Amino acid sequence: SKPTINFGRPFLRLGAFRDSFGDPVGFTMVGLRNDWALVDAWRAGVGIGAGYQFGKRNGIVGLPFAYVSKGSLAVEAGFIPFTKLNSRTHKAKRIATLTVRWDFQ
């Protein structure tokens, strides 16, 4: 039988960046995202990912995000308004991300 609910498209992501303290961070993430057509080749979507970041501050991270895309190129914005990520010297209260993504199809 045909599925009645579309839970979205699964994804796997690997990446590296410098955090707000200037320290290198690597991460792996898996999740689901779903998008809807706007006009022409433009689409808008939402997703959620969970993964592990490693660097000076290691830990499990979950991130909701929204995005707009055209073809294989997308711009994503993610935000967690409250978190308790702690280390001995730093404490994060909010996490915000801005990502440019290219989909390999």
Side-chain angles (χ1 to χ4, degrees):
S1 67
K2 292 183 180 180
T4 56
I5 298 174
N6 181 359
F7 287 106
R9 185 177 188 180
F11 68 86
L12 170 66
R13 188 173 292 176
L14 307 169
F17 61 95
R18 288 200 177 273
D19 65 14
S20 58
F21 304 108
D23 299 321
V25 178
F27 71 92
T28 60
M29 181 183 287
V30 295
L32 290 173
R33 69 174 197 250
N34 204 351
D35 57 28
W36 299 271
L38 295 175
V39 292
D40 297 325
W42 289 92
R43 302 184 68 77
V46 295
I48 187 149
Y52 189 79
Q53 74 174 26
F54 46 94
K56 200 169 191 178
R57 288 162 286 283
N58 299 327
I60 296 172
V61 176
L63 181 70
F65 58 89
Y67 62 92
V68 293
S69 65
K70 184 174 183 184
S72 295
L73 184 64
V75 176
E76 296 178 349
F79 184 66
I80 301 173
F82 179 75
T83 184
K84 291 184 179 179
L85 287 177
N86 290 305
S87 72
R88 291 179 50 204
T89 56
H90 305 293
K91 181 176 181 180
K93 294 184 179 181
R94 291 170 198 82
I95 297 174
T97 64
L98 184 62
T99 307
V100 176
R101 180 187 82 224
W102 181 266
D103 285 335
F104 298 101
Q105 299 178 1

